[in-house]
Amino acid sequence: MKFLCASIFLLLFSVSVHSYTDESHYSKTFDTTRFFRVFTPLNYDAENLNKRYNVIYYFHGCGGSYRKSGTYSYQDFGLIPPKADNRPDDPDYELPNNADFENEATRSDVIIIAVDGKIPGIPGCGVYFPSQVDDWSGNRYNFSVYIRELIDVVDSRYNTLAGAQHRAISGLSMGGQAATWVAATNPHLFSSASEFCYSPAYYDVGELSYLTTVDIQQLWRNFRGLPMRHSTNTKDWLKYYTTQLYQTYLGAGFKNEYYLADYCKHHAARIDLQFDFHSNHFSDPKQAVDCFSFINLYPDFEVWGYEVSSKKKGNGWIYLHDVTKNGFGIYTRERLTWGKSLINFDISVTTPAVYQPNKKYTFSRYSYKKGTITTEPIVANGEGKMVINSIGGVGEEIGIEGEGLQPPVMVLTDTINENLYLYENAIKSFAFDVVNLSTATQTIDFVVSTENKELLTIVSQPGQVVIPALSKLTIDSFFTCKGNYLPDFRNTGFIKINTVIDGVVQDREHFRKVVVKEVTQVTGNFKVKVFDGQSEELALYQYQWNQWDNPFSTEAITEGSGNGNGKPELGEIFSIWIQTPSPLEAKDLATWHPVIPLNGREHPDVCVDEIKQRRMNTGRSTLSAQISLNRKPTKKNPVRIPVQVEFLQAEYMENDCHRNTADKYGYAYYDLIMLADGAIQLTKSAN
């Protein structure tokens, strides 16, 4: 009996002393040794190979490492650290979120991997993005590739359930930014993704030869097939950024959830609820998507079985659009939403093995630049794969026709700006181009729908159309929509276009973002200033860390290139700044704000040549468009420029326990008209 009791005691003791494990491995991606921390359930037994676990990969925040989520300890803010149940005391439990992860590993019966995002030699936050250092010459730390290496290491050392269905990814603050980026570049590798209080700054990613600014709001294109959850806190100074990210992703073709925790810190609060979200999706088999879109800045990448290699140089994106077995669009863009196409360069796309081996198919191209359609035969290789070559640039649509494939019919995208815009309470019809890349005439029914039913009402559907073989058709009133403006970032949504041929709903789903613009009240002191090469000191509403009580300052603005007379002319690059009382902040009456033109197929008279980022608050940069004219305005035909302007407010938060203000911001929309003499005036709002 004494022996039996002693055995039980030793067994319980051996379980209770088991806690996290710190691991290291040599990373080929980073060319250095990297570390990670592993949290396993209390009953984890490395020898029991019959019991395997789902895995959650967690990315820490600014100033953190695999040992802690951020720069602070609980005691720094007068908080009592959570206890790690049935674990021995450990100094690291004073740091977030180690005790939480110990408990969650057992409660959810998962393995949690704390990824190390710390990069030696980077000051300040020191994590994830080497571009924080202007003269950085070392490894560029491609975490979107490193995650695959880390997954292999974890799977080789721990009793994990292999496969995308059994993996999730999450992160806090800058780690929320990094986790979202990594998930978006690897949607096929995870069953779900989430972020806590993500850090909204625009970060430059990639080698110097193709360094590109990442705005994760634009990554909605990548998330089809990957559920996403956003969590922030009532007193988090970054809470509005997470709120907007959720609203930006809502209706874009994937599950998208949001939670507001009653918590006073910039912190990964209610981890239990976030990880429950992941646990629920572990039980759902990971499905390959029938249609996806994808953007990536790297010259070479792989997603959903498609392998892309290219000779891309310079900043910008390779963009695979509405990819299905019967074809896809392939474009390049300097920036999304506003950005020109890149110069032509060779791009090669190898498809997955979804075709009949050694079978001949008909291959068609629609060129956006030339407006022409060409055809040629293409043969799948012995594995059932095809290799498709493109030259990028403004882009082309690729059609593949053959046995077992749906007819390749595509709704064309807008090569200037994909977004659609309409004013609140206005009914507007939108025009679309459709191309039939099959060798037979197609009779088509289009179905337009939206998940954003509070925001958008589809007033009329497209009529049935007949499109001859290998031809393009412009439909002037493709569908009609009414917008109901909603505040708090809820003024953006999506319409989805499905194609029905011979009664069969086709795999291709076309999503377009819609922005409902509020009619902004304008006072008589609305002013416009044009920078075409000159410099001028302007009053700005901006603040830096610990300067929230005094957000007014001046700064010398130097933008554009031209003769500096303050009037746009052909051949010049210019920016437009406006002065008008803020619709968001009552104290902000006379500061200046840069504009972004909402140009597209309806307003092609100006071109956005570049986007400049200006750090005007602690959260993220404000964007200033560098613009050129595509034609000279005349008396009878002035140039009309619908614009978006961002306004900032330092919102005071009562009873805070971290920082007493939150970054609150919003957008206003104006219509400017450029006269024949180059003067710019405010004009009446219109669609």
Side-chain angles (χ1 to χ4, degrees):
M1 178 66 70
K2 287 184 179 180
F3 177 77
L4 178 61
C5 291
S7 298
I8 293 174
F9 174 78
L10 288 173
L11 176 62
L12 291 174
F13 182 77
S14 66
V15 169
S16 67
V17 298
H18 182 75
S19 59
Y20 63 79
T21 303
D22 289 338
E23 297 265 17
S24 66
H25 74 107
Y26 177 76
S27 167
K28 293 181 179 179
T29 306
F30 295 159
D31 191 25
T32 188
T33 299
R34 298 297 291 180
F35 299 88
F36 60 97
R37 178 165 286 183
V38 185
F39 300 87
T40 55
L42 277 167
N43 63 359
Y44 179 82
D45 180 0
E47 301 301 320
N48 182 7
L49 301 182
N50 293 320
K51 172 64 174 175
R52 295 187 175 273
Y53 298 83
N54 299 307
V55 185
I56 299 174
Y57 290 83
Y58 178 82
F59 287 66
H60 61 81
C62 169
S65 71
Y66 66 100
R67 293 185 56 198
K68 58 181 181 177
S69 278
T71 58
Y72 60 94
S73 70
Y74 290 103
Q75 291 182 348
D76 289 339
F77 294 112
L79 301 175
I80 299 174
K83 290 188 65 66
D85 299 334
N86 300 314
R87 311 276 187 177
D89 289 337
D90 189 293
D92 275 12
Y93 293 157
E94 304 290 324
L95 306 172
N97 290 89
N98 290 297
D100 294 311
F101 289 160
E102 295 278 39
N103 296 335
E104 281 305 308
T106 297
R107 187 186 72 87
S108 299
D109 203 31
V110 299
I111 295 173
I112 300 170
I113 304 297
V115 181
D116 191 13
K118 196 168 184 61
I119 300 176
I122 295 182
C125 286
V127 296
Y128 301 117
F129 306 105
S131 58
Q132 296 171 82
V133 178
D134 291 337
D135 58 351
W136 184 264
S137 58
N139 192 293
R140 304 305 294 192
Y141 285 84
N142 182 351
F143 278 89
S144 67
V145 170
Y146 170 70
I147 192 65
R148 302 184 183 198
E149 188 178 15
L150 181 59
I151 287 170
D152 288 342
V153 171
V154 170
D155 285 348
S156 69
R157 297 184 186 180
Y158 287 85
N159 297 340
T160 64
L161 288 164
Q165 177 184 339
H166 305 291
R167 293 187 211 105
I169 186 170
S170 187
L172 166 69
S173 193
M174 287 181 75
Q177 164 88 263
T180 304
W181 163 245
V182 170
T185 48
N186 297 279
H188 55 301
L189 294 185
F190 300 97
S191 63
S192 59
S194 69
E195 53 90 5
F196 296 91
C197 318
Y198 97 95
S199 172
Y202 302 113
Y203 292 108
D204 291 336
V205 176
E207 299 291 336
L208 285 176
S209 60
Y210 48 82
L211 198 68
T212 296
T213 301
V214 174
D215 173 6
I216 68 172
Q217 288 190 30
Q218 304 305 325
L219 298 180
W220 62 265
R221 295 166 170 83
N222 291 26
F223 272 93
R224 273 185 258 179
L226 183 62
M228 181 75 181
R229 188 178 194 264
H230 314 266
S231 180
T232 190
N233 307 327
T234 53
K235 296 296 178 66
D236 186 351
W237 63 282
L238 291 179
K239 62 182 179 179
Y240 289 112
Y241 297 105
T242 287
T243 303
Q244 187 192 29
L245 188 64
Y246 160 70
Q247 291 296 157
T248 299
Y249 286 1
L250 191 61
F254 54 92
K255 293 180 181 179
N256 184 56
E257 297 184 11
Y258 174 81
Y259 181 74
L260 181 64
D262 186 12
Y263 198 83
C264 63
K265 299 292 182 193
H266 181 61
H267 176 75
R270 295 308 306 265
I271 285 175
D272 57 331
L273 298 181
Q274 194 92 309
F275 285 8
D276 281 347
F277 166 81
H278 294 305
S279 293
N280 291 338
H281 286 288
F282 288 142
S283 62
D284 297 330
K286 179 75 174 179
Q287 301 289 340
V289 292
D290 293 325
C291 178
F292 71 90
S293 292
F294 189 77
I295 59 173
N296 202 309
L297 60 88
Y298 292 102
D300 307 310
F301 55 87
E302 183 265 336
V303 62
W304 295 113
Y306 287 78
E307 299 176 4
V308 176
S309 61
S310 75
K311 295 183 178 180
K312 176 181 179 290
K313 292 183 179 179
N315 67 309
W317 303 90
I318 296 175
Y319 187 174
L320 301 181
H321 187 256
D322 291 349
V323 181
T324 65
K325 292 180 182 178
N326 68 356
F328 52 88
I330 182 165
Y331 329 129
T332 66
R333 301 287 184 267
E334 285 188 1
R335 189 179 184 117
L336 294 162
T337 295
W338 304 280
K340 300 182 297 185
S341 60
L342 307 181
I343 61 172
N344 292 351
F345 54 86
D346 292 338
I347 304 174
S348 177
V349 180
T350 302
T351 73
V354 293
Y355 305 100
Q356 295 183 34
N358 304 311
K359 183 78 172 182
K360 182 184 291 186
Y361 294 82
T362 299
F363 177 83
S364 304
R365 296 179 192 264
Y366 169 77
S367 168
Y368 280 94
K369 183 175 182 179
K370 299 178 181 179
T372 57
I373 297 173
T374 57
T375 63
E376 59 187 274
I378 188 171
V379 178
N381 67 16
E383 299 177 78
K385 298 181 178 182
M386 291 185 187
V387 178
I388 297 169
N389 296 312
S390 175
I391 59 171
V394 67
E396 55 190 0
E397 300 288 343
I398 304 295
I400 303 169
E401 188 180 27
E403 183 180 345
L405 298 182
Q406 297 171 345
V409 175
M410 284 84 165
V411 176
L412 301 187
T413 193
D414 190 318
T415 59
I416 303 173
N417 183 349
E418 291 184 7
N419 291 354
L420 306 175
Y421 300 90
L422 71 159
Y423 272 105
E424 58 181 330
N425 301 320
I427 297 176
K428 182 176 180 180
S429 294
F430 293 94
F432 282 83
D433 294 328
V434 180
V435 63
N436 176 13
L437 293 182
S438 75
T439 55
T441 297
Q442 301 296 333
T443 300
I444 303 168
D445 292 286
F446 293 101
V447 178
V448 179
S449 61
T450 181
E451 292 183 15
N452 310 101
K453 296 185 184 299
E454 285 187 281
L455 179 74
L456 303 171
T457 301
I458 308 300
V459 176
S460 68
Q461 291 281 343
Q464 188 178 76
V465 297
V466 177
I467 307 180
L470 303 175
S471 67
K472 185 184 79 169
L473 178 67
T474 298
I475 306 174
D476 291 328
S477 295
F478 189 88
F479 77 100
T480 304
C481 185
K482 181 179 180 180
N484 174 36
Y485 180 82
L486 299 173
D488 301 324
F489 311 109
R490 292 179 294 155
N491 69 315
T492 64
F494 293 85
I495 59 102
K496 180 176 71 170
I497 302 174
N498 287 103
T499 305
V500 181
I501 300 176
D502 295 332
V504 177
V505 179
Q506 307 293 285
D507 290 338
R508 180 165 287 105
E509 293 183 333
H510 183 89
F511 284 85
R512 290 287 285 274
K513 186 176 180 181
V514 183
V515 180
V516 178
K517 303 186 295 184
E518 183 181 28
V519 177
T520 307
Q521 298 299 317
V522 180
T523 61
N525 60 347
F526 186 97
K527 297 178 182 178
V528 178
K529 193 178 294 291
V530 172
F531 286 86
D532 58 345
Q534 76 276 33
S535 180
E536 185 175 344
E537 194 93 358
L538 293 186
L540 303 175
Y541 186 90
Q542 63 178 353
Y543 54 84
Q544 301 303 322
W545 195 261
N546 287 329
Q547 296 178 7
W548 310 293
D549 294 333
N550 183 28
F552 297 96
S553 62
T554 61
E555 183 178 323
I557 305 299
T558 304
E559 292 185 345
S561 59
N563 58 23
N565 66 357
K567 293 186 177 182
E569 299 174 14
L570 283 174
E572 291 187 336
I573 304 294
F574 60 93
S575 63
I576 301 174
W577 291 64
I578 69 166
Q579 183 190 75
T580 189
S582 169
L584 197 66
E585 173 57 79
K587 297 178 294 185
D588 184 4
L589 299 174
T591 64
W592 292 86
H593 304 268
V595 311
I596 298 285
L598 305 181
N599 58 323
R601 67 181 292 161
E602 295 178 314
H603 306 288
D605 293 339
V606 296
C607 175
V608 177
D609 285 81
E610 183 187 359
I611 296 287
K612 286 196 171 182
Q613 298 172 196
R614 293 193 166 275
R615 180 52 66 92
M616 294 176 68
N617 63 59
T618 53
R620 69 175 187 193
S621 300
T622 295
L623 304 180
S624 177
Q626 309 302 294
I627 310 163
S628 62
L629 287 173
N630 289 329
R631 71 169 179 87
K632 180 178 174 62
T634 64
K635 185 175 182 180
K636 291 185 177 181
N637 191 15
V639 170
R640 186 171 152 266
I641 315 174
V643 297
Q644 173 182 292
V645 183
E646 183 173 299
F647 291 90
L648 174 68
Q649 177 188 29
E651 181 188 74
Y652 180 73
M653 295 188 294
E654 294 184 357
N655 302 319
D656 71 284
C657 54
H658 183 191
R659 177 184 131 175
N660 65 355
T661 52
D663 285 355
K664 187 176 183 180
Y665 59 97
Y667 303 103
Y669 300 91
Y670 304 95
D671 289 278
L672 305 179
I673 186 168
M674 185 183 301
L675 305 177
D677 63 357
I680 297 179
Q681 300 177 353
L682 182 69
T683 187
K684 183 179 179 181
S685 298
N687 269 320

